[in-house]
Amino acid sequence: MLVRVEAAAITAPELTWAETWESDGVDRTPIIPSHEFAGTVAEVGDGVEGFAAGDPVFGLVPFDRDGAAAEFVAVPASSMGHRSSSVDPTIAAAAVLPALTAWEALHDRVKLAAGQRLLVRGGAGAVGSMLTQIGHAADAHVTATVSSADDVERVRSLGADEVVVVPRGSDPEDLRGFDVVVDAVGDRIPRWMYAAAAPHGTLISLQFPPDDELASEYGVSTVFFVVSADARRLAELDDLLANRRLTAEVASLFPLERGREAFETAGTPGRRHGKVLLLVRADRI
């Protein structure tokens, strides 16, 4: 389908990913970045059912295709879903990648159940905040770690039952017995996270493959995956967004012509939490 883009979110590390610059080993530059989008259907391709021109949509462009930092983007129908009219396109675009990642981790990879204990490392980040909210919505007991006391109340407001301050480089010794442990920080997984999982618990890594030797030492299962979009997940996320059981934080908004500045802002260490977005429709700025 051809989508008229309203908002496109930025994930700064995408400029370091091999699939951004090549497809099956073939260079595909120049490229268009920003794969998280919200907009309206402009045209429907042959064989596509369930969508019509004018429908509000959101989704995730496959990473080996051109993204949504443009007025229009061509997207496989399988990578987008309907967006409720009550869901602002900026919130939908900001939510889609971190929320899809969190949903796949907790519902498709481990099937988190009510009452289970979930530990989220990095609860203040984009993915960590979604893990916290989706874990809370699943009636799990959610413990989230943050690196600064400044983030405690904000993460608690997202649904964390317990928030623990763990400064970078430190190893907490009192986090034990979790059914599911998820690393949302994005660096190498520290030993203490393997120890935090209960015997036969599961550790999920979103950036780097887990260490098999450490997993065996602590008796935990491991999961590592690259997120993908599908209609079912997007429908679940739209329902959560529409019913205000899930939200995304927007750090700053830029018009499309300031795209370079937007990417530089998104990649700045220590900036405020939330997604940096490109607003393609000038009347929304």
Side-chain angles (χ1 to χ4, degrees), residues 140-158:
H141 185 281
V142 182
T143 298
T145 73
V146 295
S147 60
S148 170
D150 295 339
D151 292 321
V152 169
E153 289 307 317
R154 186 176 71 86
V155 174
R156 186 174 283 126
S157 73
L158 297 175

Side-chain angles (χ1 to χ4, degrees), residues 3 9 17 44 49 87 95 117 160 189 221 255 271:
V3 175
W17 300 342
V44 178
E49 298 180 352
V87 179
R117 299 185 67 209
I189 305 173
S221 300
R271 67 173 179 84

Side-chain angles (χ1 to χ4, degrees), residues 92-196:
V96 64
L97 180 56
L100 281 173
T101 301
W103 185 272
E104 182 171 349
L106 298 181
H107 287 294
D108 294 336
R109 300 292 175 165
V110 297
K111 301 190 183 305
L112 185 71
Q116 287 190 309
R117 299 185 67 209
L118 168 67
L119 174 64
V120 178
R121 180 189 179 217
V127 177
S129 66
M130 292 298 176
L131 288 162
T132 298
Q133 293 178 80
I134 291 173
H136 174 73
D139 294 323
H141 185 281
V142 182
T143 298
T145 73
V146 295
S147 60
S148 170
D150 295 339
D151 292 321
V152 169
E153 289 307 317
R154 186 176 71 86
V155 174
R156 186 174 283 126
S157 73
L158 297 175
D161 298 284
E162 184 179 7
V163 182
V164 181
V165 179
V166 181
R168 292 188 182 278
S170 63
D171 295 329
E173 298 180 354
D174 55 348
L175 295 175
R176 296 288 189 275
F178 290 91
D179 299 290
V180 180
V181 177
V182 189
D183 175 49
V185 171
D187 56 9
R188 298 292 179 181
I189 305 173
R191 175 182 284 269
W192 68 262
M193 289 198 70
Y194 295 87

Side-chain angles (χ1 to χ4, degrees), residues 214-234:
L214 284 175
S216 177
E217 178 181 340
Y218 287 97
V220 301
S221 300
T222 60
V223 172
F224 173 69
F225 67 94
V226 176
V227 66
S228 60
D230 67 39
R232 176 184 57 82
R233 293 189 193 115
L234 288 165

Side-chain angles (χ1 to χ4, degrees), residues 194-218:
Y194 295 87
H200 309 297
T202 302
L203 185 149
I204 301 176
S205 173
L206 306 176
Q207 294 288 339
F208 296 98
D211 186 312
D212 291 337
E213 290 187 4
L214 284 175
S216 177
E217 178 181 340
Y218 287 97

Side-chain angles (χ1 to χ4, degrees), residues 30-103:
I31 59 96
I32 299 173
S34 296
H35 291 76
E36 307 145 78
F37 71 90
T40 58
V41 175
E43 294 184 25
V44 178
D46 293 339
V48 174
E49 298 180 352
F51 292 91
D55 285 352
V57 292
F58 74 128
L60 181 68
V61 185
F63 296 120
D64 61 352
R65 298 173 63 111
D66 279 339
E71 294 178 349
F72 294 90
V73 61
V75 188
S78 59
S79 296
M80 54 191 274
H82 289 281
R83 171 172 54 88
S84 298
S85 58
S86 61
V87 179
D88 188 275
T90 60
I91 299 301
V96 64
L97 180 56
L100 281 173
T101 301
W103 185 272

